[in-house]
């Protein structure tokens, strides 16, 4: 039996309340994510709380047993993520309850999320439909060796002054203005830029995340450019744990990741409730920014 009002809900023997997520919750949120096998460190949670908003579900003694967040990207685009419930509540409707609160906050915007297999039924019941499959490649990185430089291209180190050009290129690839998110990632990342004909034609970021480092976003016009941008980050972390999330199912970029010891570990499904607002601009996101940030 389930009895609920706006801010509380009884799930069989569990009485839950919902409230805004707070930075003071980070240690408890970390315990929650560890409990479901997610790799987020407290610092990863700290970044997410800086860039997004959300709710936590608490039991009657104040323990956090669920979470859900949303990340505004411009005025009309939002991603939903960090939808977690403790294992004992996953079949009792807690995730749906949290999602309903989040979706009210996101009303009127294009909504996108990345769904693990276990959550497909929940999101489908909320009218989300598959858009793409994201392949999580990870492992102990192997030195990539010599990578051919694409025609007319030069690779250099990303600088803080590149943010405006990077945000414009990213918007063309992703379909939304992620300037605020990119600024925060840039502050925590090493980056590479591909220059061609005097302008920025691609970029890649790499930062600490989870068990090691994650490369993303990688924005480029084709696989050769994406490989040239990613290779320096793989080389820098050869012998250590590295992760790259990509919607590329096969082809040169995927072959490169496998060659570098980053085999597919898992996959999630990108879902939305309506067609993507992105037009084909000739530039693409070859690797995602990392969990929940698109």
């Amino acid at each position: 039996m389930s009895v609920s009002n706006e801010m509380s809900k009884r799930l069989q023997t569990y009485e839950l309340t919902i409230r805004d997520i707070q930075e003071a919750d980070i240690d408890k949120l970390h315990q929650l994510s560890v409990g479901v096998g997610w790799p987020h460190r407290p610092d990863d949670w700290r970044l997410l709380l800086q860039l997004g908003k959300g709710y936590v579900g608490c039991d009657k003694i104040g323990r956090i047993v669920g979470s859900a967040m949303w990340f505004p990207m411009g005025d009309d685009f939002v991603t939903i993520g960090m939808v977690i419930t403790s294992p004992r509540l996953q079949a009792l409707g807690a995730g749906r309850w949290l999602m309903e609160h989040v979706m009210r906050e996101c009303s009127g915007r294009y909504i996108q999320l990345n769904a693990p297999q276990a959550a497909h039924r929940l999101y489908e019941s909320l009218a989300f439909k598959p858009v793409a499959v994201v392949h999580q490649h990870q492992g102990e990185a192997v030195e990539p060796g010599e990578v051919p430089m694409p025609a007319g291209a030069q690779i250099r180190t990303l600088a803080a002054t590149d943010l405006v050009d990077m945000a414009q290129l990213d918007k063309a690839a992703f379909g939304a203005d992620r300037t605020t998110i990119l600024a925060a990632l840039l502050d925590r990342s090493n980056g590479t830029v591909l220059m061609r004909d005097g302008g920025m034609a691609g970029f890649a970021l790499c930062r600490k995340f989870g068990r090691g480092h994650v490369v993303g976003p990688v924005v480029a016009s084709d696989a050769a450019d994406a490989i040239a941008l990613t290779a320096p980050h793989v080389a820098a972390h050869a012998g250590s744990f590295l992760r790259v999330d990509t919607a590329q199912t096969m082809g040169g970029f995927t072959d490169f990741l496998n060659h570098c010891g980053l085999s597919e570990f898992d996959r999630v499904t990108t879902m939305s409730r309506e067609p993507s607002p992105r037009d084909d601009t000739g530039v693409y996101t070859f690797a995602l920014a990392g969990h929940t940030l698109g």
Side-chain angles (χ1 to χ4, degrees):
M1 181 179 71
S2 174
V3 179
S4 67
N5 58 37
E6 283 295 306
M7 304 307 289
S8 67
K9 186 177 184 71
R10 180 176 293 278
L11 301 172
Q12 295 185 0
T13 60
Y14 297 98
E15 179 72 32
L16 302 185
T17 57
I18 194 169
R19 62 168 174 80
D20 290 339
I21 202 166
Q22 302 169 3
E23 188 170 356
D25 296 324
I26 286 176
D27 287 343
K28 292 179 180 179
L29 290 166
H30 178 233
Q31 293 173 10
L32 180 69
S33 57
V34 168
V36 295
W38 289 16
H40 296 73
R41 308 165 303 148
D43 280 350
D44 300 323
W45 272 105
R46 192 166 289 110
L47 173 63
L48 295 171
L49 267 63
Q50 174 187 335
L51 295 173
K53 304 175 183 180
Y55 291 114
V56 290
C58 303
D59 65 14
K60 63 182 180 180
I61 62 173
R63 293 176 299 191
I64 292 177
V65 294
S67 67
M69 295 190 69
W70 68 98
F71 303 90
M73 301 180 184
D75 296 329
D76 56 4
F77 194 113
V78 64
T79 61
I80 292 176
M82 305 312 291
V83 181
I84 307 173
T85 57
S86 61
R88 68 180 182 275
L89 298 180
Q90 287 177 357
L92 299 180
R96 184 182 186 90
W97 183 53
L98 288 162
M99 276 292 295
E100 288 170 348
H101 279 78
V102 167
M103 289 172 64
R104 280 197 290 271
E105 297 289 342
C106 301
S107 178
R109 302 182 186 185
Y110 175 84
I111 303 173
Q112 183 172 291
L113 55 81
N114 289 323
Q117 182 64 40
H120 279 199
R121 183 176 298 179
L122 167 62
Y123 297 133
E124 288 172 349
S125 74
L126 295 169
F128 284 87
K129 298 179 180 179
V131 174
V133 175
V134 176
H135 305 266
Q136 178 185 326
H137 288 254
Q138 64 182 48
E140 182 176 308
V142 174
E143 170 65 47
E146 185 175 354
V147 172
M149 185 61 61
Q154 302 86 39
I155 300 292
R156 64 167 174 82
T157 300
L158 183 70
T161 53
D162 290 318
L163 177 60
V164 172
D165 290 340
M166 181 172 65
Q168 291 177 347
L169 198 64
D170 181 77
K171 184 176 181 179
F174 187 76
D177 184 356
R178 299 195 294 178
T179 301
T180 300
I181 289 173
L182 292 171
L185 295 181
L186 182 56
D187 192 46
R188 293 165 170 78
S189 304
N190 293 319
T192 47
V193 172
L194 188 144
M195 301 293 294
R196 182 178 283 119
D197 299 326
M200 182 185 294
F203 69 88
L205 298 180
C206 180
R207 72 184 192 279
K208 288 184 178 179
F209 174 81
R211 295 171 55 189
H213 286 74
V214 61
V215 179
V218 177
V219 172
S221 59
D222 58 32
D225 285 4
I227 291 168
L229 285 160
T230 304
H233 299 297
V234 177
H237 298 288
S240 61
F241 184 87
L242 193 63
R243 172 173 166 172
V244 182
D245 294 351
T246 180
Q248 300 292 306
T249 300
M250 60 183 65
F253 189 68
T254 298
D255 292 344
F256 170 75
L257 296 178
N258 290 326
H259 168 73
C260 294
L262 308 179
S263 58
E264 183 176 329
F265 172 77
D266 199 3
R267 61 181 63 180
V268 297
T269 303
T270 301
M271 305 182 79
S272 71
R273 303 181 77 186
E274 54 192 85
S276 171
R278 182 192 180 279
D279 296 323
D280 191 347
T281 59
V283 60
Y284 308 96
T285 303
F286 276 80
L288 279 65
H291 196 66
T292 78
L293 296 178

